[in-house]
């Protein structure tokens, strides 16, 4: 775990620098539980942010836990909706309907917390 | 009676009374020794129960045992949702208690879910709910057909999420959801400052609350359990000690407390004939409790050994719990006073168990005694000593339970109590004297530069008993009780008694000698008198003889004179012619 942490910090530093320059592939996964207004809202918000900050470099996978309940345990999902940044490393979890764009960007580490 | 009184007190006549079916309230037995007795049947079926307490008090274990016993004893599959420990850690922790949870998981009767929330990797961005948790729970419950669920400890959610209002409403929804599914749930919660749980979980769980406590008093730990609340049903309200050992949790007492045990009129010998005599001639009542108290070195253990010896000689079994000495040491010491305990040990009639009183908490001792008694089935038990079992409150509570337990089993119990020198002899440190049927006190009697032992019976319920202090001496053939010398100078023992006796003996001898001397003197005087009488008689008879002689001489002389006169007359007449 500690190893990953130190890696994570390195990676985040790189990501901050890289976000401006080098193109990077983003792999995102949105966990929902059925088609609720919250999950629809979350998906729309996510789509908008991605288009704005990483056009053409992102991939969104929607996981409906109602259909795949096993994944909730495997991926340690508690809150719905949860957005998981699988790539770039490290893994980040953002919960909620993503209506707070600022915090979403912080969560995705597209913006540091101090800003 | 007591329980009923509690019930009426616990159930106010308001809304609770309407929906308190009392004994109709369905309950889920926990299978945990003692807990089902206290709760009169178990936890409320289909409802949540809150188990709270400080860290390390046994919440997780209780919850786990509830699930495991549910599966193994009541055929009710279960789900364990853990928020703090991983499945592997949990399985490992409970393996030492003999729970093979992995096997139960493989059989599909127990399911685990480790809900791990790492605040550091989570960002909250607007509205959310805990549907993911519900999905996981539903999946786990359906996978085994669970009837029981444990959430350990759901409070971790509070550190994982920042939206408290949302969290609270989700928790409320969760408990409703669990109730709707008719699941018997155990929720654990960490004890807060002045509240039952840190996050006020008791607000959501209003049916049953169990509080666990782990106290360390004088470096001895004692675990306790209390049913704080159990809506709609009677329950024991006291704090009950419980312990965790290789068989899981047991809450004490295993049997309910009562005074309805049968009493026996049979007497059992104390092993000391004259002590039996002091106790109305028969010894102790079978099944009674006996307290032997005295200062250090007053012979308490020897009295106990006599009793154990007498029990074994009758062919009965005796359990001897030694808290001060090792079994070997007791055997050796008792051999020196002529009691062969080893023979009884070899014959399987005597069991000597030693343990340092400080080794376990009071509750552990009690459980140990329970186990030994159910294993060995003795008819008598000696506990030597009870005085340093712990602090006053704990020890007397434990002894109360122990005495009750032993009485219900008809076991004669002898408790040895060491009285501090200088303290009142008639006081026991653990304050159990009122529970005791027969109380023997050994006291030192110091006089004449000696320390001697005295024994008396303070009380003995249901029998005439001697009110005298006896001196007892420990000889190589065991204890011998002696009549003490009671005189104007008080009770005399030891060499004072011996010298007093010697003095009396000397006086008696002197008196006898005097008597004999006077007898002899009188006899002599009488003999002298007799001699005088003899001499006088002799004299009298001499005189008698003399009188005879004299008479004869006189007669002879008179005759001679007459003859001479006649002869003269004749001669005269012849001359005149």
């Amino acid at each position: 775990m500690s190893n990953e942490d130190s890696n994570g910090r390195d990676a985040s530093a790189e990501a901050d620098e890289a976000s401006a320059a080098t193109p990077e592939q983003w792999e995102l996964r949105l966990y929902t539980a059925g088609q609720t207004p919250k999950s629809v809202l979350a998906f729309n918000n996510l789509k908008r942010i991605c288009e704005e900050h990483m056009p053409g470099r992102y991939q969104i996978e929607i996981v409906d836990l109602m259909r795949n309940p096993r994944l909730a345990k495997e991926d340690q999902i508690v809150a719905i909706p949860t957005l998981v940044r699988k790539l770039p490393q490290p893994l980040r979890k953002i919960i909620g309907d993503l209506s707070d764009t600022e915090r979403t960007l912080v969560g995705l580490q597209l913006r540091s917390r101090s800003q | 009676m007591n329980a009923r009184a509690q019930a009426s007190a616990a159930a106010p006549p308001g809304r609770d009374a309407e929906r308190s079916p009392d004994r109709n309230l369905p309950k889920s037995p926990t299978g945990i020794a003692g807990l089902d007795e206290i709760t009169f049947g178990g936890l409320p079926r289909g409802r949540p129960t809150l188990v709270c307490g400080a860290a390390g008090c046994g919440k997780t274990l209780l919850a786990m045992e509830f699930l495991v016993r549910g599966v193994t004893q009541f055929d009710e599959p279960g789900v364990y949702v853990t928020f703090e420990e991983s499945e592997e850690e949990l399985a490992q922790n409970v393996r030492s208690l003999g729970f093979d949870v992995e096997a139960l998981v493989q059989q599909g009767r127990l399911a685990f879910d480790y809900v791990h929330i790492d605040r550091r990797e989570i960002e909250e961005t607007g509205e959310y709910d805990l549907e993911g948790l519900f999905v996981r729970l539903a999946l786990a419950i359906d996978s085994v057909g669970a009837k029981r669920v444990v959430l350990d400890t759901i409070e971790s959610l509070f550190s994982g999420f920042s939206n408290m209002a949302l969290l609270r409403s989700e928790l409320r929804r969760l408990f409703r959801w669990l109730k709707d599914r008719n699941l018997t749930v155990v929720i654990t919660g960490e004890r807060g400052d002045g509240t039952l749980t840190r996050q006020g979980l008791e607000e959501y769980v209003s049916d049953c609350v169990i509080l666990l406590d782990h106290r360390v008093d004088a470096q001895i730990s004692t675990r306790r359990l209390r049913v704080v609340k159990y809506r709609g049903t009677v329950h024991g309200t006291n704090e009950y000690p419980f312990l965790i050992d290789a068989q899981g949790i047991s809450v004490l007492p295993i049997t309910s407390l009562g005074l309805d045990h049968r009493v026996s009129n049979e007497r059992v010998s104390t092993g000391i004939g004259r002590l039996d005599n002091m106790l109305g001639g028969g010894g102790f009542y079978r099944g009674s409790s006996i307290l032997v108290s005295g200062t250090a070195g007053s012979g308490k253990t020897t009295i106990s050994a006599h009793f154990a010896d007498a029990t074994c000689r009758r062919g009965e079994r005796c359990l001897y719990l030694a808290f001060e000495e090792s079994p070997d040491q007791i055997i050796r010491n008792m051999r020196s006073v002529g009691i062969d305990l080893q023979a009884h040990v070899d014959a399987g009639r005597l069991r000597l168990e030693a343990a340092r009183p400080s080794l376990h908490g009071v509750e552990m001792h009690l459980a140990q005694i329970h186990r030994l008694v159910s294993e060995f089935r003795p008819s008598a038990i000696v506990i030597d000593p009870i005085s340093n079992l712990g602090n006053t409150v704990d020890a007397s509570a434990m002894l109360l339970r122990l005495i009750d337990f032993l009485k219900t089993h008809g076991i004669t119990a002898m408790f040895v109590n060491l009285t501090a020198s200088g303290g009142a002899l008639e006081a026991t440190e653990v304050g159990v004297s009122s529970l005791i049927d027969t109380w023997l006190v050994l006291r030192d009697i110091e006089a004449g530069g000696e320390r001697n032992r005295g024994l008396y019976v303070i009380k003995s319920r249901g029998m005439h008993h001697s009110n005298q202090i006896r001196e007892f001496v420990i000889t190589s053939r065991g204890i011998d009780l002696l009549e003490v010398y009671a005189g104007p100078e008080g009770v005399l023992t030891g060499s004072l008694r011996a010298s007093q006796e010697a003095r009396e003996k000397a006086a008696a001898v002197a008196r006898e000698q005097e008597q004999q001397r006077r007898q002899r003197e009188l006899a002599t005087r009488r003999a002298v008198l007799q001699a005088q009488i003899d001499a006088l008689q002799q004299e009298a008879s001499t005189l008698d003889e003399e009188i005879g002689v004299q008479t004869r001489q006189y007669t002879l002389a008179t005759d001679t004179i007459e003859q001479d006169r006649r002869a003269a007359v004749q001669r005269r007449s012849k001359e005149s012619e």
Side-chain angles (χ1 to χ4, degrees):
Chain A
M1 284 301 278
S2 60
N3 221 1
E4 273 183 35
D5 271 1
S6 64
N7 281 346
R9 229 161 279 131
D10 290 345
S12 68
E14 280 167 27
D16 277 342
E17 286 167 27
S19 58
T22 45
E24 202 175 11
Q25 273 302 315
W26 286 72
E27 201 178 316
L28 303 170
R29 194 182 262 187
L30 184 66
Y31 291 86
T32 64
Q35 278 248 317
T36 61
K38 255 183 284 199
S39 52
V40 171
L41 180 61
F43 179 72
N44 290 339
N45 283 335
L46 178 62
K47 188 102 180 157
R48 178 173 50 76
I49 291 166
C50 287
E51 279 302 323
E52 217 169 284
H53 292 88
M54 54 196 91
R57 292 188 286 121
Y58 68 91
Q59 196 185 330
I60 300 173
E61 186 191 356
I62 301 214
V63 175
D64 187 349
L65 294 180
M66 290 300 175
R67 288 190 198 150
N68 286 307
R70 266 170 213 296
L71 289 178
K73 183 180 176 183
E74 280 166 27
D75 298 343
Q76 281 295 354
I77 304 303
V78 176
I80 292 294
T82 296
L83 172 66
V84 173
R85 185 186 80 173
K86 300 198 79 173
L87 280 176
Q89 289 279 344
L91 193 101
R92 294 287 301 173
K93 279 185 184 161
I94 298 147
I95 60 171
D97 58 15
L98 310 178
S99 53
D100 187 337
T101 310
E102 282 300 302
R103 291 187 71 114
T104 309
L105 292 176
V106 169
L108 286 170
Q109 291 179 332
L110 284 165
R111 186 164 297 175
S112 68
R113 206 173 284 268
S114 54
Q115 283 177 291
Chain B
M1 280 307 284
N2 208 4
R4 213 157 290 157
Q6 279 168 7
S8 58
R15 58 200 169 96
D16 278 355
E18 288 161 28
R19 53 179 182 131
S20 71
D22 230 329
R23 67 196 70 165
N24 297 332
L25 187 89
K27 292 184 181 177
S28 280
T30 59
I32 295 169
L35 184 56
D36 292 340
E37 278 85 351
I38 296 168
T39 55
F40 292 91
L43 304 182
R45 177 177 292 277
R47 287 156 186 272
T49 295
L50 177 64
V51 176
C52 49
C57 68
K59 302 184 293 286
T60 297
L61 229 56
L62 189 137
M64 181 63 88
E65 190 167 352
F66 166 71
L67 273 199
V68 170
R69 297 210 182 271
V71 172
T72 55
Q73 294 181 8
F74 307 106
D75 197 26
E76 293 197 348
V79 166
Y80 199 105
V81 182
T82 161
F83 292 83
E84 281 173 345
E85 288 174 291
S86 74
E87 243 178 274
E88 292 74 29
E89 285 169 334
L90 258 182
Q92 213 160 28
N93 292 349
V94 297
R95 196 173 298 136
S96 60
L97 306 177
F99 301 150
D100 190 358
V101 293
E102 277 140 345
L104 297 177
V105 169
Q106 271 169 14
Q107 290 165 23
R109 297 158 78 199
L110 192 61
F112 277 95
D113 193 353
Y114 173 39
V115 178
H116 178 70
I117 301 160
D118 188 352
R119 183 75 182 258
R120 287 169 306 171
E121 55 180 40
I122 289 176
E123 194 71 43
E124 292 184 22
T125 65
E127 292 279 300
Y128 59 93
D129 56 41
L130 299 184
E131 193 60 33
L133 184 63
F134 285 78
V135 168
R136 291 167 77 161
L137 258 174
L139 178 71
I141 289 164
D142 292 344
S143 71
V144 294
K147 298 268 194 298
R148 301 179 177 206
V149 172
V150 168
L151 303 175
D152 178 31
T153 156
I154 203 156
E155 280 177 327
S156 302
L157 289 176
F158 287 89
S159 59
F161 301 99
S162 55
N163 189 341
M164 288 299 134
L166 177 137
L167 207 50
R168 289 187 185 281
S169 80
E170 284 296 279
L171 277 185
R172 213 161 274 129
R173 182 162 76 99
L174 176 65
F175 288 127
R176 206 164 44 239
W177 185 86
L178 291 165
K179 260 189 192 177
D180 289 346
R181 292 182 166 232
N182 205 25
L183 293 161
T184 310
V185 186
V186 167
I187 298 134
T188 63
E190 195 117 315
R191 185 126 201 220
D193 209 9
T195 54
L196 285 175
T197 58
R198 267 191 214 151
Q199 306 298 342
L201 286 179
E202 57 271 31
E203 182 186 324
Y204 310 101
V205 185
S206 50
D207 295 288
C208 182
V209 178
I210 294 173
L211 181 63
L212 304 183
D213 186 21
H214 189 191
R215 261 177 258 165
V216 177
D217 227 339
Q219 293 158 15
I220 294 171
S221 79
T222 313
R223 297 172 191 276
R224 284 151 205 283
L225 177 149
R226 181 161 69 97
V227 180
V228 178
K229 169 177 179 180
Y230 199 152
R231 180 171 286 174
T233 177
V234 294
H235 62 85
T237 52
N238 296 332
E239 272 193 324
Y240 298 94
F242 73 97
L243 66 125
I244 298 169
D245 63 9
Q247 273 97 50
I249 289 176
S250 10
V251 185
L252 304 162
I254 289 160
T255 50
S256 57
L257 288 170
L259 288 172
D260 49 359
H261 41 254
R262 276 176 297 159
V263 296
S264 169
N265 285 322
E266 194 191 333
R267 297 288 196 93
V268 289
S269 170
T270 62
I272 304 163
R274 294 191 81 164
L275 182 54
D276 287 348
N277 292 341
M278 284 176 81
L279 296 166
F284 307 126
Y285 279 117
R286 183 179 290 281
S288 65
S289 356
I290 300 118
L291 181 67
V292 179
S293 63
T295 49
S298 55
K300 301 180 295 295
T301 300
T302 314
I303 288 214
S304 310
H306 263 291
F307 174 62
D309 180 57
T311 306
C312 295
R313 277 179 197 277
R314 284 194 302 272
E316 297 169 14
R317 281 187 298 277
C318 180
L319 178 63
Y320 196 111
L321 294 168
F323 289 134
E324 303 268 78
E325 294 174 276
S326 74
D328 285 348
Q329 195 178 330
I330 290 177
I331 289 171
R332 182 201 67 197
N333 294 352
M334 291 308 121
R335 193 178 293 132
S336 74
V337 295
I339 306 169
D340 186 8
L341 295 177
Q342 187 64 50
H344 299 313
V345 172
D346 293 341
R349 285 193 291 271
L350 179 65
R351 187 142 161 196
L352 283 158
E353 289 282 335
R356 279 266 164 216
S358 53
L359 199 62
H360 308 300
V362 154
E363 92 282 20
M364 201 69 176
H365 282 300
L366 188 48
Q368 190 198 21
I369 295 168
H370 271 266
R371 195 162 303 134
L372 284 169
V373 164
S374 51
E375 245 173 57
F376 188 55
R377 307 222 150 274
S379 73
I381 184 168
V382 176
I383 299 179
D384 178 15
I386 53 166
S387 19
N388 46 3
L389 273 179
N391 72 35
T392 308
V393 180
D394 280 353
S396 60
M398 170 198 154
L399 280 168
L400 171 67
R401 297 202 159 97
L402 183 61
I403 289 170
D404 202 75
F405 169 74
L406 295 173
K407 283 203 166 171
T408 40
H409 286 74
I411 298 169
T412 318
M414 181 177 270
F415 303 98
V416 173
N417 185 58
L418 175 70
T419 322
S421 267
L425 281 166
E426 290 81 6
T428 52
E429 273 148 51
V430 283
V432 290
S433 52
S434 59
L435 306 168
I436 293 292
D437 298 314
T438 299
W439 189 359
L440 308 178
V441 168
L442 306 176
R443 57 179 297 184
D444 293 317
I445 302 168
E446 286 181 40
E450 273 189 359
R451 207 165 188 216
N452 294 296
R453 301 179 174 96
L455 179 149
Y456 60 100
V457 182
I458 283 200
K459 70 167 181 185
S460 194
R461 287 174 179 157
M463 61 177 83
H464 292 291
H465 57 86
S466 166
N467 61 350
Q468 292 175 3
I469 298 181
R470 297 287 161 93
E471 178 178 5
F472 85 89
V473 286
I474 301 180
T475 69
S476 60
R477 296 176 321 284
I479 286 174
D480 200 6
L481 289 178
L482 305 176
E483 301 286 348
V484 292
Y485 174 84
E489 293 159 66
V491 168
L492 294 181
T493 57
S495 55
L496 278 182
R497 179 174 53 79
S499 69
Q500 180 68 27
E501 279 172 4
R503 270 202 300 281
E504 283 180 9
K505 209 172 194 172
V509 168
R511 272 198 306 278
E512 197 177 329
Q513 284 171 345
E514 172 74 11
Q515 156 80 358
Q516 284 171 357
R517 192 182 60 76
R518 287 181 65 111
Q519 287 256 326
R520 272 199 310 276
E521 194 182 284
L522 287 172
T524 313
R525 274 170 63 186
R526 191 186 181 286
V528 168
L529 219 61
Q530 187 69 47
Q532 284 174 340
I533 291 167
D534 286 351
L536 285 171
Q537 262 174 1
Q538 189 71 38
E539 210 178 314
S541 61
T542 312
L543 284 176
D544 284 347
E545 276 171 39
E546 229 169 279
I547 289 166
V549 170
Q550 220 254 323
T551 310
R552 273 193 311 273
Q553 279 176 347
Y554 173 75
T555 315
L556 201 66
T558 313
D559 287 352
T560 311
I561 290 166
E562 187 59 29
Q563 278 171 5
D564 284 352
R565 196 188 52 94
R566 270 184 209 156
V569 168
Q570 269 177 348
R571 225 171 26 239
R572 252 175 220 214
S573 58
K574 256 178 204 175
E575 280 176 14
S576 55
E577 272 178 46

